[in-house]
Amino acid sequence: MPKTITYHSLQKSFLPIWLLSICWVLLLLSPPKVEAQLTVRDSVTKRMKAFERQSLGEKVNTEYIDLLNQLASEYIYVKADSLIKLSRQALSYSKKIGYTLGECQALANIGAFYSSNGINYKAITHYTNAIKLADSIGNIPLKTEFINQLAYEYTYLGDYEKALKNFLVGLDLADESDNKLMQSKLNENIANLYASQKEYDEALNFYTKVKKINDQIGDETIAAETFSNLASLHIEIGNFEHAMFNINQSISIFEKHKITDWLAYAYTVKGDIYINLKKYGWALYWYDQSQLLHKNLEDDRSRINLYNGISRAYLGVGQDSISHIFALKAMKIAKKIRSLEGQRDCSETLYLINKSQQNFTEALTYHETFQQLADSLNRDETKRTLMLLETKMKHSKDKQLLIAESEKELAKQRNLIRVSIIVLLLLIGLTVPLYLKQKKLKRLYKALQVNAENLRKNEAELNTINKTKDKLFSIIGHDLRGPLGALQGILKLVTSGEAAKEDFSRFAPKLKSDVDHILFTLNNLLSWGYAQMNGNARKPKTVSLNTLVQGNVNLLSEVANNKSIKIVNLLPDNCLIRADENQMDVVIRNLLSNAIKFTKENGLISLEAEEDDRMWRIKIRDTGVGIDQKTQKKLFNENTNVTTYGTNNEKGTGLGLSLCKEMVLKNHGEIWVESEPQKGSTFFFTIPKVTKKYRKAS
């Protein structure tokens, strides 16, 4: 915020009544140039309320804390009670959830509260803690901002040495991080520091830097803040033309953007220009504009300057009683926030008022107070000027030493790098041949690994082939040779004449049964052999499972009728699957054949289907002899060949169920059985449904 303004002693002067009347008419007709700065605050408040409604009261999180801190900062110079309440709430929540960023922002806002109330030591404590936390999380922009605020606090205490030291430290951080905004603020604050010690040339040098930085930033509100402070500096120098030019520029920008606190300050500075020009009516006009805005602000330091300026203006137009009221109000605030400069300026004004009213005793008292404060501050100013120079020189010296040490350290590092490079080159010279040799060995090792892996695969394939061969010969030897031998014997009896041709009809059912068995076995054998040779080869398409089931029911109906077994097909018409048709045909035929084989006469076999999101689950239930737990475990084992006999001595190959399992798995399904001896069996298998895209394609 703006620095403290030092007012010059003024002679009492009067304006013509007509000019004063015009000023008051203008004041009455002109409303405040801007409204209170509520837009940002209202926006943040709305967001907070919306957030609270959405989160149903669970508001302790980082987003809510950020909103609390943002809203709190909007109340600086506006509503101190809301500032401290929201900041403490944000601090409590931040500590509760371990949110360091929120904690350091809340500490800085609390520091601003104590600063505006003149409790400087507490403000310094909070800013210092905020700096430490910002440093702990590596947030350089926040750390720089808090150092700037801490430095300003030291200026209020009159400790300009610490103030300048912190400003310079902050400026170094801003330069390192190329933070243009903080470069502008810190250079401007250093300029104001020198201006307060009447080091105007040095102050103007810093303002030249500030203007260049502001041009790079390109933000007119930041430039307007600089114009306001520069106008104040030109008042102290006595260059009122430059002061007026700068303050008019800043006012137009602040009015445009409705920046209330800075606009109130700018109006006060414009009033100060007219005071120095002894145009008291115009001074009152601009002071009143500032006072209207101050109704919505809580900025005691600015109020001291404003009320003291109003007092001087009324003194200038000869209204001593009103002048006295405002001077006392200014003095009260200055004492409250312990502002020595404010007390000095107010004492001088009260001295002039009492002198004008011929209250010589009071005038003498205020003059003595003014003289004591002025002498004290002047002595301090001399010391401070020396301290500022010493601090700046010390900081520059420390910086140079640090640069020199850094250069030495860099030189050492360069030497170490050179030595390291030499050592590295030597190591490369030694290790390259070893590396090439190792690379060659790695290639040989990889080749050996590949060969070993190929041998393992070949061995596995040979084992599979041997198992397939053994199984094939077992089936041919045990399951095909017997029926073929029986067929051969019957045909031999008939052809040799040992059995009459009339007797042949007695053997016909037996022959048909054996031929059907041989054909069924050969079909399974061919399917199994094809599957073994072709691996995972399958040709999926959209298949009507109901059609496949009905075809196999028709095929096996004669066998079922011979045992008076009823087969019931309960599958829905829309039972469409995505699978290999031939493989599914083998699965259904084998499961249905097994059900017939192990179901006693007059039994029942039913086929049902249930669907879920992706699969059809098929159930083939019989009222047969059932299967014990031990046999169930072996049924689908590809390494086990379980040969069993049906209820009418029908012989099986043991190949069917393992073939079913293989076919179902290849079509992305599963197969299992549930059974109890003498209570029948239910074989289940799942198969993928037809999706919409396949249904469209089909």
Side-chain angles (χ1 to χ4, degrees), residues 54 74 79 108 169 207 260 264 281 291 295 306 385 388 396 399 416 455 469 491 518 588 647 674 680 686:
Q54 289 171 6
E74 291 296 321
K79 198 173 181 182
V169 169
Y207 268 113
T260 312
Q291 196 172 4
K295 289 178 181 178
L306 173 62
T385 302
L388 288 176
S396 298
K399 202 170 178 180
L416 283 171
L455 285 172
K469 180 195 71 175
L491 291 173
I518 291 167
I588 292 165
T647 56
E674 293 178 4
T686 59

Side-chain angles (χ1 to χ4, degrees), residues 244-258:
M244 188 64 78
F245 173 77
N246 281 284
I247 205 63
N248 285 338
Q249 280 189 294
S250 71
I251 286 173
S252 65
I253 294 169
F254 291 143
E255 286 180 345
K256 174 183 171 183
H257 293 282
K258 298 184 180 181

Side-chain angles (χ1 to χ4, degrees), residues 409-433:
E409 192 64 33
L410 282 171
K412 285 181 183 178
Q413 288 179 2
R414 287 192 200 99
N415 290 332
L416 283 171
I417 289 168
R418 289 191 191 100
V419 172
S420 299
I421 289 170
I422 293 167
V423 172
L424 183 62
L425 289 171
L426 290 171
L427 288 171
I428 289 170
L430 292 170
T431 54
V432 166

